[in-house]
């Protein structure tokens, strides 16, 4: 791993916080105590709701109630209640979007944080979610955006996403992976279905979600830690066959580099017990393009794809017509 790529991953302090969130038992408690000991004002990290620590706080419930935690234990519990309310609002809005899309014969696939929340976390609200990511086949993404805009969703000027009047968001994607042009085999066939706000929706398989989560380490480098939590809970959900599919999917989609680097970080720096065989299988696929593959994910919106531009252009036209 090059220095440029390593600089995009969480530093020692954040890795310690991840240990407290993602490990079990005494390992988690020891990491939490060490994190507290190294903070001048631990509560300050939880004062700003945009801070990465706040968004992972629901995972600290129980761990954060130990000696010396003070009011941080209460803050962790409060965050869980807050995230449950957020989730219920988001799920209700997402159900409206799914109903609208189905009315036009579109059947999206759920990916991203909401998919992980429903399939790998103990409860969905352990995972901070402010939007729902839906994959819509090919050029149907433009039609999907038009349908939602006509139903009262408001376009985001900077991305192919739309906001519900409640503030919840739906993001439309042409691919389950973040890098342009990368697709995954069996996206619909391998996944199951989950209930989201009372609507059934196809969800991507856990190995697909894992690869997307690993890409998230570079898309929001230095910011959100949600990718690490997602990767951890999804990795734990994979059996031997699931890991074999993940390694093969990474090879076919050209996604081995971000997966190998992100999972290697979780195993090495966080101490997550990941199987050595699949990690070696991913690492064996990494070649001289590894740095470029990881760094290419960082400026996700720097060069919008043609479809994304078409979505924004179409949304502007539809919304303008509706308001007129």
């Amino acid at each position: 791993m090059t220095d440029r790529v390593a600089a995009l991953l969480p530093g020692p302090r954040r890795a310690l916080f991840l240990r407290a969130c993602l490990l079990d038992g005494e390992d988690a408690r020891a990491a939490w105590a060490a994190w507290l000991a190294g903070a001048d004002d631990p509560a300050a990290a939880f004062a700003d709701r945009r801070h990465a620590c706040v968004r992972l706080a629901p995972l600290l419930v129980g761990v954060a109630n130990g000696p010396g935690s003070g009011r941080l234990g209460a803050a962790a519990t409060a965050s869980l209640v807050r995230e449950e309310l957020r989730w219920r609002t988001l799920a209700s809005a997402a159900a409206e979007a799914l109903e609208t899309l189905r009315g036009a014969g579109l059947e999206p696939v759920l990916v991203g944080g909401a998919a992980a929340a429903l399939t790998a976390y103990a409860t969905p609200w352990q995972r901070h979610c402010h939007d729902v990511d839906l994959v819509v086949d090919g050029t149907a993404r433009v039609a999907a955006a038009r349908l939602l805009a006509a139903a009262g969703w408001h376009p985001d000027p900077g991305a192919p996403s739309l906001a519900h009047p409640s503030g919840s968001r739906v993001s439309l994607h042409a691919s389950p992976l973040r890098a342009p042009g990368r697709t995954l085999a069996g996206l619909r066939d391998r996944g199951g279905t989950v209930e989201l706000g009372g609507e059934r929706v196809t969800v991507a398989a856990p190995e697909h979600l894992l690869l997307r989560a690993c890409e998230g380490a570079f898309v929001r480098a230095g910011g959100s830690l949600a990718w690490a939590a997602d990767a951890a809970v999804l990795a734990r959900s994979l059996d031997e066959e699931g890991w074999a599919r993940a390694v093969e999917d990474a090879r076919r989609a050209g996604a081995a580099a971000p997966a190998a680097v992100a999972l290697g970080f979780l195993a090495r720096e966080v101490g997550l017990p990941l199987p050595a065989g699949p990690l070696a299988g991913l690492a064996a696929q990494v070649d001289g393009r590894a740095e470029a593959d990881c760094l290419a994910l960082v400026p996700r919106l720097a060069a919008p794809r043609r479809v994304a531009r078409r979505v924004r252009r179409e949304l502007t036209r539809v919304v303008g017509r509706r308001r007129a």
Side-chain angles (χ1 to χ4, degrees):
M1 181 169 55
T2 67
D3 290 342
R4 293 181 67 192
V5 172
L8 300 175
L9 297 171
R13 180 105 181 115
R14 284 190 157 199
L16 189 61
F17 185 78
L18 286 173
R19 289 179 63 85
C21 293
L22 303 179
L23 299 184
D24 298 319
E26 187 55 38
D27 289 335
R29 288 189 289 272
W32 177 242
W35 188 85
L36 288 174
D40 294 332
D41 183 6
F46 292 84
D48 183 354
R49 292 187 179 180
R50 297 170 298 177
H51 196 283
C53 291
V54 176
R55 296 191 172 189
L56 265 62
L59 297 175
L60 289 170
V61 173
V63 177
N65 290 309
S69 297
R71 55 195 174 93
L72 291 185
T77 302
S79 72
L80 192 61
V81 174
R82 185 170 59 248
E83 293 301 339
E84 181 177 0
L85 295 174
R86 184 197 306 276
W87 173 264
R88 296 192 185 282
T89 300
L90 175 64
S92 177
E96 291 183 28
L98 291 169
E99 186 176 13
T100 297
L101 297 178
R102 287 208 177 97
L106 297 178
E107 287 291 339
V109 177
L110 181 66
V111 297
L118 284 168
T119 59
Y121 285 82
T123 60
W125 39 90
Q126 278 190 319
R127 207 282 188 185
H128 170 88
C129 292
H130 59 271
D131 69 347
V132 166
D133 295 286
L134 299 175
V135 175
V136 183
D137 294 333
T139 56
R141 187 156 64 124
V142 175
R146 292 176 60 186
L147 288 166
L148 293 179
W153 293 68
H154 299 286
D156 183 342
S161 63
L162 303 97
H164 186 264
S166 67
S168 298
R169 310 190 71 81
V170 161
S171 297
L172 303 171
H173 307 276
S175 166
L177 294 178
R178 302 172 190 267
R182 289 180 180 167
T183 59
L184 290 169
L187 180 63
R188 292 185 181 277
D189 299 336
R190 283 199 219 155
T193 62
V194 292
E195 183 177 300
L196 181 58
E199 289 284 326
R200 301 298 297 183
V201 59
T202 299
V203 63
E207 59 268 20
H208 294 158
L209 299 176
L210 176 62
L211 294 179
R212 180 182 172 88
C214 289
E215 288 184 323
F218 307 98
V219 171
R220 293 185 176 90
S224 173
L225 296 175
W227 71 268
D230 288 351
V233 296
L234 288 163
R236 285 172 172 161
S237 73
L238 293 184
D239 56 16
E240 184 176 349
E241 184 178 349
W243 274 109
R245 289 194 298 263
V247 173
E248 177 60 17
D249 285 343
R251 183 189 67 79
R252 291 183 178 181
V261 173
L263 291 174
F265 166 82
L266 290 176
R268 184 180 59 257
E269 304 299 333
V270 178
L272 206 66
L274 298 177
L279 293 188
L282 289 168
Q285 299 177 33
V286 177
D287 55 25
R289 299 190 306 272
E291 179 178 285
D293 285 349
C294 292
L295 295 178
L297 291 163
V298 177
R300 184 169 55 138
L301 299 177
R305 282 175 271 176
R306 183 177 302 173
V307 173
R309 291 196 296 269
R310 287 177 59 198
V311 169
R312 288 196 294 274
R313 187 166 60 245
E314 188 67 25
L315 287 176
T316 301
R317 184 180 71 81
V318 171
V319 173
R321 183 177 63 194
R322 190 179 75 243
R323 290 175 177 171

